[in-house]
Amino acid sequence: MAYYIIAVSGGPDSMCLLNKYKHRDICVCHVNYLKRESSNRDEEIVRNYCLKNNIKLEVLRVSEEMYRDYKKMYGNNFECVARNIRYDFFITNLKKYNAKYILVGHNYNDHLETAYSMMEKKSKALYYGIMQVSGRKDTIILRPIMNMYKADTEKYCKKHNVPYGIDETNFDPKYTRNRIRQMMSNWTKKELKKFKSKIKFYNFRKILLRKAVNKCANKWIKTNYSQAFFQSKIKPKLLEHICYWILSECQAHIAITHDKILLLIDFIKNNTNSTKMLRIGEGVFVRILNKCVNYYYDHESK
């Protein structure tokens, strides 16, 4: 039994989170992707900390076979595959320990970097950044240190003698996240303040619409994504947002564009052929099966 499942990578953010919750009823989950030289070091940091503090620990060492299986479902984008592997692992242990929440160590910098990336892509999302509370497959995910800057999590670890490792890939410029992080680190205080205000204002303006979309989406889920519900029960002003939500929820690596959203609306509204499929990403399709909207994954297709 455990009340919280805590995702711990061994970096300063998740180790800060773990230290704050070490006296709670928890189980730590660590995923070792075995893709970088320091991955075994990070696993050892987490193992030793849990052993020292008598904390339950579950470790997943990802095999090549597991990578192949997940690539068949979610494509070749490593970040997407890794995200689905770890969250499936967290949810498995949530059920195993009859826990209530999953805790992850996203910080305020992560929120701002994600918001910038979404704005840069002109995303149709109703919230820019990372929400402190979110859901995945009927699971509640909490981010307790979202109000802390990354520099503050490192200071916390040093002050409290909490061990942590630094992922060397965080400095690799080939990753978009690292490019954004480097760019934002060069902003003046005035530029950062202006951006933060812009994000807060955007998210504030979308509160009521976000509630309406969530309410409508939950009703649609209860119908098993009925085509008839989509055609007649969803208000026109919510259709694009509902379709953005569909594309986001399928957990695959999909470039969400306005044109793709319009194609999806038309497909769900007008398609009556159960064998016809709409390609929404690499090897990811939507089809109408038994008068309900379904995903279909076929990564042999290009």
Side-chain angles (χ1 to χ4, degrees):
M1 297 287 289
Y3 194 73
Y4 298 112
I5 296 294
I6 303 189
V8 182
S9 67
D13 304 330
S14 61
M15 291 303 294
C16 168
L17 173 63
L18 174 56
N19 198 66
K20 286 176 176 288
Y21 278 76
K22 67 180 179 181
H23 297 304
R24 305 285 189 95
D25 186 9
I26 64 174
C27 173
V28 167
C29 285
H30 174 80
V31 179
N32 187 341
Y33 297 106
L34 301 170
K35 290 292 185 182
R36 54 184 172 84
E37 292 182 8
S38 59
S39 64
N40 289 332
R41 175 209 65 192
D42 291 348
E43 180 183 327
E44 197 65 19
I45 288 172
V46 178
R47 283 188 181 278
N48 289 339
Y49 184 95
C50 290
L51 183 63
K52 179 181 177 181
N53 291 279
N54 195 30
I55 296 170
K56 291 186 282 290
L57 172 66
E58 296 284 348
V59 174
L60 174 65
R61 297 173 69 84
V62 185
S63 66
E64 288 302 321
E65 182 181 7
M66 181 175 285
Y67 278 121
R68 285 195 297 272
D69 290 342
Y70 272 78
K71 283 179 180 179
K72 289 177 182 177
M73 291 186 286
Y74 302 111
N76 293 318
N77 181 272
F78 176 75
E79 291 181 3
C80 174
V81 168
R83 181 171 59 251
N84 281 284
I85 286 174
R86 67 175 173 268
Y87 275 101
D88 284 352
F89 178 60
F90 301 156
I91 291 170
T92 295
N93 283 290
L94 183 96
K95 295 175 181 176
K96 176 180 177 179
Y97 289 96
N98 196 28
K100 191 169 184 179
Y101 303 109
I102 295 172
L103 307 187
V104 295
H106 287 126
N107 60 53
Y108 193 61
N109 292 82
D110 295 324
H111 167 68
L112 294 177
E113 290 158 11
T114 300
Y116 183 90
S117 176
M118 295 171 83
M119 289 188 71
E120 192 176 46
K121 295 174 183 175
K122 295 182 172 58
S123 168
K124 285 279 184 180
L126 294 176
Y127 187 88
Y128 279 175
I130 303 173
M131 302 189 80
Q132 282 196 300
V133 181
S134 63
R136 183 186 176 99
K137 297 182 179 179
D138 299 322
T139 299
I140 300 173
I141 300 168
L142 306 179
R143 299 172 176 85
I145 62 169
M146 271 284 290
N147 291 324
M148 294 180 72
Y149 284 95
K150 186 170 188 64
D152 293 329
T153 68
E154 293 182 10
K155 288 178 183 176
Y156 174 93
C157 288
K158 289 174 182 176
K159 179 180 179 180
H160 296 274
N161 296 313
V162 179
Y164 65 86
I166 298 295
D167 180 351
E168 63 274 15
T169 64
N170 287 342
F171 306 99
D172 190 336
K174 74 178 182 181
Y175 296 107
T176 302
R177 169 76 66 174
N178 294 343
R179 175 184 62 80
I180 293 173
R181 182 177 298 134
Q182 181 58 45
M183 178 203 67
M184 295 181 75
S185 70
N186 294 323
W187 282 0
T188 64
K189 288 184 178 180
K190 185 177 180 180
E191 287 173 322
L192 181 60
K193 183 178 180 181
K194 182 178 178 181
F195 178 71
K196 287 162 62 176
S197 296
K198 188 174 183 180
I199 295 303
K200 286 181 180 179
F201 181 66
Y202 178 91
N203 290 337
F204 178 76
R205 284 193 302 115
K206 300 291 183 179
I207 288 176
L208 292 179
L209 184 56
R210 193 161 61 242
K211 287 181 178 179
V213 170
N214 288 339
K215 183 178 180 180
C216 183
N218 287 329
K219 286 182 179 179
W220 192 30
I221 290 171
K222 291 178 181 178
T223 71
N224 198 28
Y225 301 98
S226 158
Q227 184 183 28
F229 184 94
F230 186 91
Q231 291 168 329
S232 62
K233 300 296 183 181
I234 300 178
K235 295 178 180 179
K237 69 177 182 179
L238 299 183
L239 283 175
E240 287 190 27
H241 298 294
I242 290 289
C243 283
Y244 180 92
W245 173 81
I246 298 172
L247 296 173
S248 301
E249 286 293 303
C250 79
Q251 311 302 339
H253 183 68
I254 294 174
I256 305 176
T257 64
H258 187 244
D259 287 344
K260 191 171 290 184
I261 288 172
L262 295 180
L263 281 172
L264 184 56
I265 291 173
D266 181 69
F267 182 81
I268 298 174
K269 275 193 166 185
N270 301 313
N271 181 44
T272 57
N273 183 350
S274 62
T275 63
K276 185 177 180 181
M277 295 187 289
L278 174 68
R279 184 178 184 275
I280 57 173
E282 183 182 324
V284 187
F285 302 84
V286 168
R287 62 180 174 182
I288 307 300
L289 190 63
N290 298 323
K291 298 183 179 181
C292 293
V293 180
N294 284 263
Y295 296 117
Y296 175 71
Y297 300 94
D298 180 9
H299 288 288
E300 298 300 319
S301 304
K302 298 292 182 182

